[in-house]
């Protein structure tokens, strides 16, 4: 069981590290949102994190989200889906999330549009990009991104708010710079090409978030460094 003192200490130290990394990059720390990745941790701990001021939570499994959200999160808390999503789980997931960070393929795009159209609702999405090009990673490849952005933008059911990526596990500094800087460049290219603001950059996890902030991350997804080892 994780003690509340431990959670509070981690929260304080993470906020300080975000502040330092932001200032080093000449950025305003207020422009960086910590997504508290609560997967595998129980609802009670999410509520404690909420009391400590966290307002954005990241979860990666639909079943777990449904269990934890039997009692809805407070109205000013947002839940972001950050895991791979199967099309047949969309309907169960939609009532619980504010943002889907992992829009990563054409078939999911079509299934989402279909489901949202039924209820006449809209959803904020980030497009997941496979910047590193690792075969086992999901995400749109940089070469196909422009076409995919156009398809997302054309769907009135979806509001593209930005992009998400994951760096390779255990990547060195040079690789991190390439991957995170690469996503930022793709974001800038897309904004210029489509004349439309798609500002969010969700990149950086517990082991690499400072490099991500240096490259322009607006959302860092922090699990272990906040809640402890899973
Ligand atoms: C689990 C997870 C995280 C958090 O990882 P930590 O190493 O615990 O900070 C971030 N992003 C995604 C997509 C994840 O699945």
């Amino acid at each position: 069981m994780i003690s509340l003192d431990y959670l509070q200490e981690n929260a304080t130290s993470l906020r300080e590290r975000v502040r330092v990394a932001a200032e080093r990059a000449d950025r305003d720390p207020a422009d960086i949102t910590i997504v508290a990745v609560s997967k595998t941790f129980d609802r009670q701990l999410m509520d404690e994190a909420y009391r400590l001021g966290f307002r954005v939570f990241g979860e990666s499994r639909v079943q777990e989200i449904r269990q934890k959200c039997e009692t809805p999160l407070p109205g000013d808390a947002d839940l972001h889906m950050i895991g791979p999503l199967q099309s047949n789980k969309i309907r169960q997931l939609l009532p619980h999330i504010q943002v889907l960070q992992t829009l990563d393929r054409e078939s999911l795009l079509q299934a989402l549009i279909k489901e949202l159209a039924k209820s006449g609702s809209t959803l904020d999405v980030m497009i997941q990009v496979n910047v590193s090009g690792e075969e086992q990673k999901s995400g749109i490849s940089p070469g196909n991104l422009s076409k995919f952005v156009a398809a997302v933008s054309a769907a009135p059911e979806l509001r593209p708010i930005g992009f998400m990526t994951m760096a390779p596990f255990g990547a060195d500094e040079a690789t991190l710079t390439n991957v995170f800087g690469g996503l930022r460049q793709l974001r800038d290219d897309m904004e210029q090409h489509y004349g439309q603001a798609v500002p969010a950059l969700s990149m950086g996890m517990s082991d690499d978030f400072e490099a991500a902030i240096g490259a322009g991350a607006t959302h860092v997804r922090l699990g272990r460094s906040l809640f402890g080892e899973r």
Side-chain angles (χ1 to χ4, degrees):
M1 185 56 210
I2 292 160
S3 84
L4 299 184
D5 282 353
Y6 174 79
L7 189 60
Q8 179 145 28
E9 271 172 38
N10 287 348
T12 304
S13 119
L14 278 179
R15 284 172 171 145
E16 177 61 12
R17 286 172 64 189
V18 167
R19 190 187 65 75
V20 169
E23 281 174 4
R24 200 180 297 136
D26 215 9
R27 301 183 57 201
D28 183 349
D31 293 340
I32 297 151
T33 299
I34 295 178
V35 179
V37 177
S38 45
K39 68 183 184 200
T40 76
F41 296 101
D42 63 19
R43 172 58 191 269
Q44 193 202 333
L45 221 50
M46 295 173 82
D47 290 332
E48 291 303 337
Y50 178 87
R51 273 190 274 284
L52 292 172
F54 293 94
R55 291 294 178 270
V56 182
F57 294 89
E59 289 281 341
S60 54
R61 288 181 54 243
V62 174
Q63 190 56 30
E64 187 177 344
I65 291 173
R66 291 177 75 202
Q67 280 164 7
K68 286 181 182 171
C69 295
E70 264 175 24
T71 304
L73 294 175
D76 62 346
D78 282 350
L79 189 61
H80 289 204
M81 174 61 168
I82 62 169
L85 176 58
Q86 292 170 266
S87 294
N88 62 4
K89 299 276 175 65
I90 292 173
R91 186 174 314 169
Q92 299 174 2
L93 177 68
L94 285 180
H96 301 296
I97 61 164
Q98 280 67 45
V99 176
L100 172 66
Q101 290 203 7
T102 47
L103 177 49
D104 61 357
R105 60 193 191 278
E106 178 68 26
S107 60
L108 181 61
L109 170 63
Q110 295 312 328
L112 264 179
I113 291 173
K114 199 168 155 200
E115 191 59 38
L116 287 161
K118 278 187 205 161
S119 54
S121 45
T122 59
L123 180 67
D124 287 355
V125 293
M126 295 186 197
I127 296 168
Q128 183 173 357
V129 186
N130 185 359
V131 182
S132 64
E134 291 169 285
E135 240 166 63
Q136 73 279 18
K137 277 234 158 70
S138 37
I140 306 293
S141 70
N144 292 332
L145 189 58
S146 184
K147 211 175 102 212
F148 195 72
V149 170
V152 176
S153 301
E157 295 83 5
L158 298 172
R159 271 192 308 268
I161 62 168
F163 302 91
M164 180 271 211
T165 200
M166 288 168 84
F169 181 72
D172 58 21
E173 283 297 317
T175 305
L176 293 178
T177 304
N178 277 337
V179 171
F180 296 147
L183 189 66
R184 183 208 178 117
Q185 185 63 53
L186 287 165
R187 191 262 328 254
D188 293 349
D189 292 349
M190 293 303 131
E191 287 191 329
Q192 183 159 26
H193 188 73
Y194 291 101
Q196 179 191 349
V198 200
L201 287 175
S202 175
M203 50 191 199
M205 308 177 20
S206 289
D207 291 331
D208 55 22
F209 71 92
E210 282 144 322
I213 289 172
T218 61
H219 294 70
V220 289
R221 307 180 306 266
L222 304 180
R224 288 171 296 127
S225 50
L226 179 61
F227 294 108
E229 293 301 321
R230 283 184 291 270

